[in-house]
Amino acid sequence: MLKRHAGRAARPDFKTLLLATASVVAAGACSTDALAQGAAGNEVDELVVTGYRKSLGEARDIKQESVIQVDAIVAEDMAKFPDLNLAESLQRLPGVQITREAGEGRRISLRGLGPDFARVQLNGMEVLGNVDSAQDSRGQRSRDRAFDFNIFASELFSRVEVEKTYQAAQKEGGMAGTVGLFTGKPFDYGVGSKGAVTFKLGTNEYTEDAQPRIAALFSHNWDDTFGVAFSVAYSKRETTEQGHNTYNYTKPSASTMQSLVTRGLDISGLSADERAKFLSGDLYFADGNRISSWNAEQERLGLTAAVQWRPADNVELTLDVLRGEFTTQRDELHLATRPLASSGSVSFDTPAGGVWPSMFQTASVINDIAWDADNYVTMTDVTGTTFGSEHRRSLNENRFNQVVLTGEWGLTDRLTLDGHVGWEKSTYDTPYDDKLYMRAKGNQIANYGADGRSAAFSTPGWDPTDASTYAMDSFYYRGFNNESELHEAELNARYELNDVWTLRAGVAYHKFRQQGIDMFYDDNVNGTRDKTRGASVGDITYVFSNEFGSWLVGDYGKAFEKYNEYHRFGPNADGTGGALQDIENVYETTEETYSGFVQADWDSDLFGKRFRGNVGLRGYSTDTRSVGWIQGDSYAYLGTADVEGGYEGVLPAMNTVLELTPEVLVRFSATQNLNRPGLSSMAAEGSAFQDPDTGEITASRGNPDLKPYKDLTLDFAVEYYFAQTGLLSASVFHKKIENFIGTERLENVPFSETGVPYTTIPGATANSIVSEFSMPTNIEGTKRLTGVELAAQSQLTFLPAPFDGLGVVANYTYVDADEALTGISKTSYNATVFYETARWGARASLNHRDKWYTGRNDSVMSASTRGFEGGAYVDAAAFFNVTDDLQITFDAVNLTNEKDTQFWGQNRYLYNQNQSGTTYMVGASYRF
């Protein structure tokens, strides 16, 4: 059970009250069936729909009118999106699942495919805007095609649309679907001046800081001829994630275990059977046995500007400018088992030797041990454990800029041209990412439960805040940079042939570039180990405490001053330290695509029923190039690989809608689409080595000539629309996916056929034989997935007052997919119960997804199998209209303080488990 500090005793009661209130609202909604019978004959006065109900109705209208399968979310008012985070809004749509970061939505999975397969467009242009994760296990700074939704403040957007089926008029890509983000435009807000200001102030139960969130929007429209709109959103918050974790496992060999005992490791307290098992080399030990706290100060700023001009009735130009800034200053604090003279990061050690104080010259004593049927050690009781206290600090700066000019010109009553030109750039920079290591000697009992899926650590007989049991280790300096840029242009024509048929055609140009560099200045190179290791730490530490423990951590300011150190990538001022050697992931990848489409849209009758749809083809031709470093031993730079590739093809698409009645729609789609390969797979960076004894050469690199994933998708849906917001829908979709990416290994190939410069190996020639060469390649075969989506929403206006203000929104998704398709839960569901009147309203939402995998392996004990356990998040929101223009709001996020749990192996052993606390916010918004 989570330990509570005495000063926080009132918080759980408040949270319980909120949860109980949400349950009462939900129960009221569920008990309405009996009440509905008594109200069936009553007449209902016409309602003026506002707020959340209005946004549901407008989103439903977008879905109903669309030819393709679309779900949407519409802002309730100016600068007032329904949720605090775009990803949290999207998770309430069927088929959408999200990952969270410090309790806040981050990335989405869509319709059975992971985040890399869901394309995001902002004002019509594709966006890649990655921010960092606190944890390596969540892909801390991987370069990929996924979009991080926490980079933008939700208040900047007027609507979000999720296109689940593909049409030829949409640019190719985003095999799972396309998420469209749209900022507000002056012509959207009517003639004259309109504006809104919102202010919220919140806190989190763990951080207890003041978290301001401010947004403002102003628009002026001169008679729908010229208009300008500006918005700004700013927020600042502290976050924390804290809990238990491991580094997966280590499996020391029998000879290694015997050598540890020979060097003094004491296992005499174990039984004869336990000693034999310990020495067998069969056991898997948890690495790290760590308690952690990922603490951050986050600052987010968003600016938008839109200018619209209608110089004539048939011409409209729109200029959109957006800037997003997301800055995180992070302090990660860990206490983990880190032996100095043992194997991996297990909890037992042998005498350290060297400069370490005498307390480190004593071997560990293993008092007790337990393991499961697959030889995973689920409990260790050790006296004399060596610990590492790690303080990792980093500054992460993400900047996103976009400029888009969109135009539409009605040349005649039948012929219309439209298109856009745009540029955007995203930079992710980590000026410093440093580690301050200390070591400690103590005791630990680490218990992962009988199934290895929980964690409880204790330190009997040792006080982790006692400075006399610690010694300084060293500093480790790192830095990262990643940059992506996009230039895009498209021109489309639409010609209304007659009342039934409309012909559309267009061309597009898309050039994407990404580059980056990672720098690591380890302590054995930067010279800090020699002058710091083994020294006392009493003058450079402070005590840190969280919900899971207290321990000493290093203070950067004091430690830097004591050792005359600072963040650096070269020798110190006193000459200590060598040249920076470890530079990795240095590459630049570009994609240049020319594409075009033809499409016919129709709106007619079939057997007396309205029948509409489109059919078309999209052709594309993509050229790729990647330039990357080839590195050898100790990451030494050996040369540069420059590799080109490309692909082309045609994608057919058909979408149909049959209206059995104006309220009942049947949809069917048959489409092909693609998803471009992962950026890391395409990178030409790689390695080359020559065995000094045998002379054999091995090499590897990425593959810019990879072909894209391709799919065939069939989609069938039935939808029923009723009342002002009511909707019932059921859809079935099936995907067949080809061109999956695996690793190809070739033996005895000439250097000239590898794409790795032969000059990387001294004395080699183009004809020199590479004994083993590996690179990513497309593999044969087809992967399949089938899914079902069910959705319902309604305001229960047929109920007698006051229950007529109740409403419900719910959906359920089931996906059956090949195991190779990761990142998706088999089942997920969402439910929102709301109550609204003209004066006040409240809603509570539940979001649940089952466990999901991020990797798979056939071996039971492989850490390549990993994923996340399922979880349910409960959020709540309420408002009160003081006047027609002034509204007071309340939001509560993650009311249940849900655990985020990662696992490894087929037995789903605990890898990382943390909690981020509940966030509360109160605010006010004013419209003018």
Side-chain angles (χ1 to χ4, degrees):
M1 180 176 289
L2 205 63
K3 183 182 73 175
R4 298 287 181 184
H5 291 296
R8 299 176 181 171
R11 286 186 177 272
D13 294 336
F14 179 53
K15 186 188 297 186
T16 302
L17 177 62
L18 285 172
L19 287 168
T21 303
S23 301
V24 170
V25 174
C30 295
S31 65
T32 56
D33 289 343
L35 293 170
Q37 296 178 3
N42 294 347
E43 294 184 2
V44 180
D45 295 334
E46 181 179 355
L47 296 175
V48 177
V49 181
T50 59
Y52 185 62
R53 291 176 296 172
K54 178 184 177 183
S55 70
L56 287 177
E58 291 181 354
R60 187 198 71 161
D61 292 344
I62 291 173
K63 180 180 182 68
Q64 184 175 9
E65 294 167 6
S66 174
V67 171
I68 62 175
Q69 181 75 272
V70 171
D71 285 306
I73 303 165
V74 178
E76 300 176 35
D77 210 329
M78 296 180 70
K80 193 173 185 295
F81 214 71
D83 288 277
L84 299 177
N85 178 279
L86 291 176
E88 291 161 16
S89 289
L90 286 166
Q91 74 176 337
R92 313 208 190 284
L93 298 177
V96 179
Q97 300 166 357
I98 71 169
T99 62
R100 291 185 180 241
E101 187 79 33
E104 184 178 11
R106 184 185 181 201
R107 293 183 165 192
I108 72 165
S109 298
L110 178 60
R111 279 199 157 191
L113 295 171
D116 233 24
F117 294 87
R119 175 176 54 188
V120 179
Q121 292 178 330
L122 172 59
N123 293 322
M125 285 186 63
E126 186 172 353
V127 288
L128 292 177
N130 296 334
V131 296
D132 74 306
S133 167
Q135 298 172 27
D136 299 326
S137 60
R138 291 192 299 219
Q140 186 175 46
R141 52 179 54 83
S142 57
R143 305 180 204 171
D144 52 28
R145 296 186 186 277
F147 179 76
D148 292 297
F149 283 88
N150 54 354
I151 186 176
F152 294 137
S154 61
E155 291 90 347
L156 299 177
F157 298 93
S158 60
R159 75 179 191 279
V160 174
E161 296 182 5
V162 180
E163 298 180 356
K164 296 181 177 179
T165 59
Y166 178 69
Q167 61 179 338
Q170 171 65 282
K171 287 185 290 294
E172 71 285 348
M175 203 164 64
T178 296
V179 179
L181 311 178
F182 300 90
T183 55
K185 310 294 189 290
F187 289 173
D188 296 341
Y189 300 120
V191 174
S193 295
K194 302 287 178 63
V197 177
T198 68
F199 174 77
K200 294 182 179 181
L201 188 64
T203 191
N204 180 278
E205 65 174 308
Y206 286 166
T207 62
E208 298 184 350
D209 63 318
Q211 301 180 0
R213 188 180 180 107
I214 306 166
L217 188 149
F218 174 78
S219 172
H220 189 84
N221 180 344
W222 287 269
D223 299 322
D224 285 336
T225 300
F226 188 79
V228 294
F230 305 94
S231 70
V232 58
Y234 172 82
S235 64
K236 186 175 182 179
R237 64 189 291 245
E238 290 184 17
T239 68
T240 185
E241 295 179 271
Q242 48 191 255
H244 301 92
N245 55 95
T246 71
Y247 310 144
N248 297 319
Y249 70 87
T250 190
K251 186 174 183 284
S253 65
S255 60
T256 297
M257 300 302 275
Q258 183 60 59
S259 70
L260 295 177
V261 173
T262 300
R263 298 203 308 267
L265 178 63
D266 188 348
I267 60 173
S268 61
L270 302 180
S271 68
D273 288 342
E274 289 172 336
R275 291 196 298 271
K277 190 69 173 181
F278 183 83
L279 294 171
S280 68
D282 296 333
L283 293 177
Y284 298 79
F285 291 87
D287 244 1
N289 304 291
R290 190 168 77 161
I291 57 173
S292 299
S293 189
W294 292 268
N295 307 320
E297 292 184 3
Q298 296 180 347
E299 202 165 5
R300 181 191 288 114
L301 174 66
L303 302 168
T304 72
V307 179
Q308 287 186 296
W309 182 34
R310 192 171 289 146
D313 291 341
N314 61 339
V315 177
E316 183 175 307
L317 298 172
T318 302
L319 177 67
D320 285 297
V321 180
L322 182 144
R323 178 171 175 83
E325 298 182 2
F326 188 62
T327 302
T328 303
Q329 288 185 297
R330 180 172 290 116
D331 285 277
E332 299 179 29
L333 307 168
H334 310 285
L335 183 66
T337 56
R338 295 292 294 267
L340 291 166
S342 187
S343 178
S345 294
V346 295
S347 59
F348 44 88
D349 205 355
T350 61
V355 300
W356 294 102
S358 58
M359 59 186 168
F360 292 96
Q361 307 304 330
T362 303
S364 302
V365 178
I366 300 182
N367 306 305
D368 197 5
I369 189 172
W371 60 88
D372 67 7
D374 288 304
N375 292 323
Y376 181 67
V377 176
T378 57
M379 187 276 293
T380 54
D381 180 346
V382 179
T383 299
T385 297
T386 302
F387 292 86
S389 173
E390 175 187 340
H391 182 178
R392 179 172 169 181
R393 61 156 202 173
S394 64
L395 173 64
N396 306 283
E397 299 172 330
N398 190 280
R399 304 292 182 261
F400 181 89
N401 293 284
Q402 184 193 71
V403 180
V404 186
L405 177 63
T406 305
E408 184 172 332
W409 180 18
L411 279 78
T412 69
D413 291 341
R414 294 182 179 273
L415 179 60
T416 302
L417 300 179
D418 69 79
H420 70 254
V421 294
W423 165 87
E424 63 189 29
K425 186 175 183 180
S426 175
T427 59
Y428 169 74
D429 187 46
T430 302
Y432 61 82
D433 185 337
D434 300 337
K435 297 182 179 182
L436 192 166
Y437 282 116
M438 302 188 304
R439 301 293 179 124
K441 201 70 170 179
N443 314 313
Q444 185 192 66
I445 299 176
N447 192 333
Y448 291 95
D451 59 4
R453 297 184 183 181
S454 60
F457 302 157
S458 61
T459 57
W462 177 54
D463 178 9
T465 67
D466 181 1
S468 67
T469 62
Y470 284 78
M472 179 62 184
D473 196 336
S474 60
F475 298 100
Y476 184 6
Y477 306 127
R478 313 194 304 180
F480 308 91
N481 180 266
N482 182 25
E483 177 181 293
S484 61
E485 189 171 19
L486 174 66
H487 294 82
E488 186 174 276
E490 69 173 48
L491 178 64
N492 307 308
R494 183 174 69 251
Y495 183 73
E496 296 180 11
L497 211 61
N498 50 45
D499 291 341
V500 174
W501 291 97
T502 298
L503 300 181
R504 301 168 65 184
V507 294
Y509 172 77
H510 182 102
K511 185 174 182 179
F512 170 74
R513 175 188 63 84
Q514 187 179 67
Q515 66 180 19
I517 185 172
D518 300 342
M519 294 175 288
F520 304 83
Y521 201 28
D522 207 344
D523 59 355
N524 63 332
V525 178
N526 65 34
T528 62
R529 184 183 294 179
D530 292 340
K531 64 182 180 181
T532 60
R533 179 164 282 186
S536 62
V537 301
D539 54 344
I540 61 168
T541 58
Y542 63 93
V543 175
F544 174 78
S545 300
N546 67 7
E547 301 288 329
F548 298 92
S550 300
W551 67 96
L552 281 186
V553 298
D555 183 297
Y556 271 94
K558 295 177 180 178
F560 275 175
E561 182 178 3
K562 177 177 180 178
Y563 295 108
N564 192 27
E565 276 294 327
Y566 53 94
H567 173 82
R568 56 188 171 85
F569 287 127
N572 208 325
D574 61 4
T576 55
L580 176 65
Q581 298 174 3
D582 190 352
I583 303 175
E584 303 178 32
N585 297 318
V586 183
Y587 63 86
E588 178 179 83
T589 300
T590 58
E591 292 175 336
E592 189 172 28
T593 300
Y594 294 89
S595 61
F597 78 95
V598 290
Q599 179 172 301
D601 297 66
W602 73 85
D603 192 339
S604 62
D605 290 335
L606 180 65
F607 304 117
K609 308 297 183 181
R610 186 185 180 194
F611 182 52
R612 50 196 172 98
N614 61 51
V615 61
L617 297 170
R618 186 173 194 92
Y620 59 90
S621 177
T622 298
D623 293 321
T624 61
R625 181 186 179 191
S626 184
V627 180
W629 280 19
I630 303 299
Q631 295 175 279
D633 290 319
S634 301
Y635 306 101
Y637 170 72
L638 302 177
T640 300
D642 188 338
V643 186
E644 296 182 353
Y647 48 84
E648 58 186 21
V650 176
L651 302 170
M654 180 187 70
N655 297 270
T656 64
V657 183
L658 178 63
E659 297 188 2
L660 299 179
T661 71
E663 294 80 24
V664 179
L665 277 60
V666 177
R667 298 181 184 272
F668 175 74
S669 299
T671 63
Q672 283 190 345
N673 198 2
L674 61 80
N675 208 90
R676 293 191 162 85
L679 295 168
S680 59
S681 298
M682 295 174 59
E685 57 113 7
S687 62
F689 299 93
Q690 185 172 36
D691 190 298
D693 297 323
T694 66
E696 290 188 344
I697 301 172
T698 58
S700 66
R701 64 164 173 83
N703 184 8
D705 198 30
L706 287 169
K707 302 301 182 279
Y709 302 90
K710 292 189 71 173
D711 79 328
L712 169 64
T713 298
L714 302 177
D715 189 285
F716 178 79
V718 179
E719 300 163 359
Y720 172 51
Y721 298 84
F722 58 94
Q724 291 178 309
T725 61
L727 168 66
L728 295 173
S729 71
S731 62
V732 179
F733 55 91
H734 178 75
K735 289 181 179 287
K736 293 172 60 178
I737 306 171
E738 299 176 342
N739 288 349
F740 263 76
I741 296 173
T743 300
E744 181 181 36
R745 290 180 171 83
L746 303 176
E747 295 182 352
N748 301 321
V749 296
F751 229 134
S752 59
E753 296 182 9
T754 66
V756 177
Y758 62 82
T759 53
T760 55
I761 300 297
T765 68
N767 296 321
S768 295
I769 297 301
V770 176
S771 60
E772 182 178 306
F773 171 68
S774 62
M775 71 176 180
T777 187
N778 297 107
I779 57 178
E780 296 182 357
T782 300
K783 310 298 180 184
R784 291 175 169 83
L785 69 87
T786 302
V788 177
E789 293 175 357
L790 305 175
Q793 67 180 49
S794 177
Q795 186 188 346
L796 309 182
T797 54
F798 54 83
L799 296 177
F803 301 105
D804 56 346
L806 276 170
V808 292
V809 181
N811 63 68
Y812 170 85
T813 302
Y814 174 80
V815 177
D816 181 27
D818 287 348
E819 288 190 354
L821 301 175
T822 58
I824 197 77
S825 301
K826 271 189 174 294
T827 62
S828 61
Y829 56 82
N830 301 272
T832 297
V833 178
F834 65 91
Y835 185 90
E836 281 195 357
T837 69
R839 180 53 63 101
W840 68 277
R843 63 180 180 267
S845 298
L846 168 70
N847 173 264
H848 170 82
R849 65 179 298 187
D850 285 348
K851 70 176 182 294
W852 77 97
Y853 289 85
T854 57
R856 297 267 197 172
N857 190 283
D858 292 336
S859 173
V860 172
M861 299 299 288
S862 171
S864 296
T865 297
R866 59 178 58 186
F868 291 76
E869 298 289 359
Y873 285 82
V874 179
D875 305 318
F879 72 87
F880 179 78
N881 292 325
V882 180
T883 69
D884 290 343
D885 298 319
L886 178 61
Q887 184 181 84
I888 305 299
T889 61
F890 171 77
D891 296 276
V893 180
N894 190 17
L895 274 169
T896 56
N897 190 16
E898 186 71 7
K899 292 180 179 178
D900 185 75
T901 304
Q902 290 176 270
F903 59 80
W904 70 268
Q906 292 185 15
N907 294 328
R908 309 209 314 267
Y909 297 125
L910 186 140
Y911 182 18
N912 185 26
Q913 184 176 81
N914 55 67
Q915 294 173 274
S916 56
T918 303
T919 297
Y920 307 94
M921 303 201 81
V922 295
S925 62
Y926 181 73
R927 297 176 300 174
F928 57 90

